[in-house]
């Protein structure tokens, strides 16, 4: 096979893997939302991160690698931010559609990327993101009638995601698999008390535990594995552009599985935030390793 054709097939495999990763994440999150009636958002998050942690520990076996005190502290902060982000994001899903929650949460990593640059072009992407958020706020005659509390939780999740990126970079000197598995374990330590306090013994129902395992697989283990395939084959910029489509995919998953209808204004808002994310990725300077892009958008950690 000619080298060019081999590269094309390799790129196609990576694009398909990343698309499947986003689809699995969005479908898994849609399924997770269907469990809210039984164990609430808090209980669902507790099951999701616990099973994700168990899966990642089984895969990476973090005890095989040395761990310094400095790395351990960084991983604890990274994991705490991860747990808080998941909890806040799922709390937002109680009252606002999936696609909109993802779009609002995207403003967190977008702010980190823009603030680290401060170039003139970045003000264009800031304007796009602000326009998208403004269209979603329940203000004025063009109000989209979204729950303010749900929007607040999604914005807080965006802040958590930004902290997750910052702390993830601090933990970046540790082994990647070790940091991810121990970080997810710390996330479970943060989330489980909220889940138990809200759902009580219902959280340990065998049928619901099986559902929690499915959520952990579809929204963490499978997307993470597929993203790792894509990471090795796609340039950072292409990877980031494709991941920027996640809010739209989330909206489609919400429509298909949760019957969440969005208004034209809400679709425009999602489009504005996606435009800001793509624009920021395309105009980014430097040759930051693609692993940093994963840290910013990784499905195993973000939501």
């Amino acid at each position: 096979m000619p080298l060019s054709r081999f590269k094309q097939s390799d790129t196609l495999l990576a694009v398909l893997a990343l698309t499947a990763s986003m689809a699995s994440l969005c479908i898994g999150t849609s399924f997770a939302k269907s469990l809210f009636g039984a164990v609430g958002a808090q209980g669902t998050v507790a099951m999701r991160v616990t099973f994700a942690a168990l899966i990642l520990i089984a895969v990476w076996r973090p005890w095989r690698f040395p761990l310094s005190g400095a790395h351990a502290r960084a991983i604890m902060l990274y994991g705490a931010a991860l747990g808080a982000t998941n909890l806040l994001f799922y709390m937002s899903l109680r009252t606002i559609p999936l696609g909109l929650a993802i779009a609002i949460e995207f403003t967190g990593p977008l702010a980190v990327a823009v603030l680290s640059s401060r170039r003139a072009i970045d003000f264009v992407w800031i304007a796009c993101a602000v326009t998208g958020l403004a269209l979603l706020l329940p203000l004025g005659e063009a109000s989209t009638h979204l729950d303010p509390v749900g929007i607040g939780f999604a914005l807080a999740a965006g802040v958590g995601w930004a902290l997750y990126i910052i702390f993830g970079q601090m933990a970046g000197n540790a082994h990647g698999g070790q940091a991810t598995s121990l970080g997810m374990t710390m996330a479970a330590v943060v989330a489980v008390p909220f889940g138990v306090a809200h759902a009580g013994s219902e959280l340990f129902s065998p049928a619901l535990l099986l559902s929690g395992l499915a959520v952990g697989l579809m929204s963490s283990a499978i997307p993470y594995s597929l993203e790792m395939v894509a990471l090795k084959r796609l340039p950072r910029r292409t990877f980031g552009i494709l991941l920027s489509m996640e809010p739209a995919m989330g909206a489609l998953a919400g429509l298909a599985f949760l019957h969440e209808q969005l208004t034209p204004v809400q679709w425009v808002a999602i489009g504005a935030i996606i435009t800001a994310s793509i624009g920021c990725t395309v105009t980014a300077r430097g040759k930051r390793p693609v692993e940093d892009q994963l840290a910013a958008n990784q499905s195993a950690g973000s939501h």
Side-chain angles (χ1 to χ4, degrees):
M1 179 183 292
L3 182 60
S4 60
R5 184 171 299 179
F6 175 79
K7 288 183 178 179
Q8 288 176 354
S9 62
D10 216 34
T11 300
L12 177 60
L13 173 64
V15 171
L16 290 175
L18 189 53
T19 303
S21 168
M22 291 187 289
S24 179
L25 170 64
C26 293
I27 293 171
T29 306
S30 297
F31 177 59
K33 191 170 181 177
S34 70
L35 301 178
F36 285 9
V39 293
Q42 301 94 319
T44 304
V45 171
M47 289 193 295
R48 183 230 168 162
V49 297
T50 298
F51 280 114
L54 291 173
I55 292 168
L56 289 171
I57 286 175
V59 170
W60 289 109
R61 292 174 290 169
W63 55 84
R64 295 179 301 158
F65 310 103
L67 182 66
S68 68
H71 287 165
R73 287 189 292 273
I75 289 173
M76 287 181 65
L77 290 171
Y78 158 77
L82 171 57
T85 300
N86 274 270
L87 186 60
L88 292 165
F89 177 74
Y90 273 62
M91 293 292 282
S92 75
L93 292 180
R94 296 179 304 170
T95 55
I96 66 176
L98 173 60
L100 296 181
I102 294 175
I104 294 171
E105 189 194 25
F106 250 65
T107 59
L110 181 60
V112 172
V114 169
L115 291 176
S116 66
S117 175
R118 298 189 184 90
R119 292 180 299 141
I121 187 64
D122 291 322
F123 287 99
V124 176
W125 315 132
I126 292 173
C128 286
V130 170
T131 298
L133 284 176
L135 290 173
L136 295 177
L137 294 177
L139 303 171
E141 296 180 0
S143 170
T144 54
H145 305 291
L146 292 177
D147 174 45
V149 175
I151 293 176
F153 274 122
L155 286 171
V159 174
W161 197 355
L163 292 174
Y164 162 79
I165 296 169
I166 295 169
F167 294 143
Q169 290 173 342
M170 291 170 55
N173 291 327
H175 183 275
Q178 182 186 57
T180 302
S181 54
L182 293 182
M184 188 65 76
T185 302
M186 183 63 195
V189 171
V190 170
V192 166
F194 290 94
V196 172
H198 180 83
S201 60
E202 190 67 23
L203 196 63
F204 304 100
S205 163
L208 286 175
L209 286 174
L210 188 61
S211 297
L213 175 59
V215 170
L217 284 169
M218 294 189 66
S219 61
S220 291
I222 293 175
Y224 176 76
S225 301
L226 291 171
E227 283 188 359
M228 292 300 288
V229 172
L231 271 172
K232 297 177 181 179
R233 295 168 172 84
L234 286 178
R236 174 185 60 82
R237 184 168 296 182
T238 305
F239 188 88
I241 290 171
L242 289 172
L243 273 182
S244 297
M245 302 308 295
E246 190 175 305
M249 191 167 289
L252 293 174
L255 176 63
F257 298 101
L258 300 171
H259 309 292
E260 294 176 339
Q261 300 281 347
L262 301 186
T263 67
V265 172
Q266 290 169 347
W267 277 110
V268 171
I270 288 177
I273 292 171
I274 288 174
T275 298
S277 183
I278 292 175
C280 187
T281 301
V282 169
T283 60
R285 282 182 178 173
K287 296 183 177 180
R288 184 179 62 174
V290 73
E291 286 80 5
D292 287 353
Q293 188 70 40
L294 177 63
N297 299 283
Q298 187 184 92
S299 61
S302 58
H303 39 265

